[in-house]
Amino acid sequence: STVAVIQGQNAVERIWPDLCGLQQSVVEYDTGFIADLLPQPEQDPQMFQVLLPDATAYSFTDAPSVSHATMEFQIVISWQDQRQQDNQANELELVASFPWLRNGGHCS
């Protein structure tokens, strides 16, 4: 579970450098971008799954309301654990919050 949470957090960390570009439509949140955020088969452990919001259902370009100046990004993480025999899903939800960047529409 710890490794799964770390991989979910890694996805969040990989978004930060492109946040302005995502919000200003300079960078597309599409299947290619999502694939780069996920654990890599040749480099990362594969006993868990990280699910990010679908590209067709989530938009970084929708500005939040004035009272909510952050954008929530939901990640679902699940993993296999042979030690658990309770028939419960080994799953958790990680919700990241990104600020809406007010920079006049220019990414530097």
Side-chain angles (χ1 to χ4, degrees):
S1 64
T2 301
V3 174
V5 171
I6 290 170
Q7 288 299 328
Q9 186 61 39
N10 283 344
V12 172
E13 294 295 326
R14 289 180 189 133
I15 291 171
W16 278 103
D18 292 314
L19 184 59
C20 179
L22 287 163
Q23 290 178 349
Q24 302 300 325
S25 296
V26 176
V27 175
E28 292 296 321
Y29 181 71
D30 56 15
T31 54
F33 187 84
I34 292 170
D36 288 340
L37 300 177
L38 297 175
Q40 302 302 305
E42 302 294 324
Q43 301 172 6
D44 298 310
Q46 298 298 303
M47 67 284 254
F48 54 87
Q49 183 176 19
V50 178
L51 296 174
L52 303 176
D54 185 78
T56 61
Y58 187 84
S59 174
F60 277 92
T61 61
D62 295 334
S65 67
V66 174
S67 62
H68 296 93
T70 60
M71 304 177 67
E72 288 190 349
F73 187 80
Q74 178 184 5
I75 299 173
V76 177
I77 306 162
S78 59
W79 61 94
Q80 301 170 1
D81 190 341
Q82 310 308 347
R83 301 169 297 173
Q84 299 293 331
Q85 303 298 321
D86 57 8
N87 294 325
Q88 298 294 315
N90 294 317
E91 184 176 282
L92 62 85
E93 181 180 307
L94 176 66
V95 179
S97 295
F98 296 108
W100 181 255
L101 303 176
R102 292 183 177 89
N103 60 3
H106 300 288
C107 300
S108 55

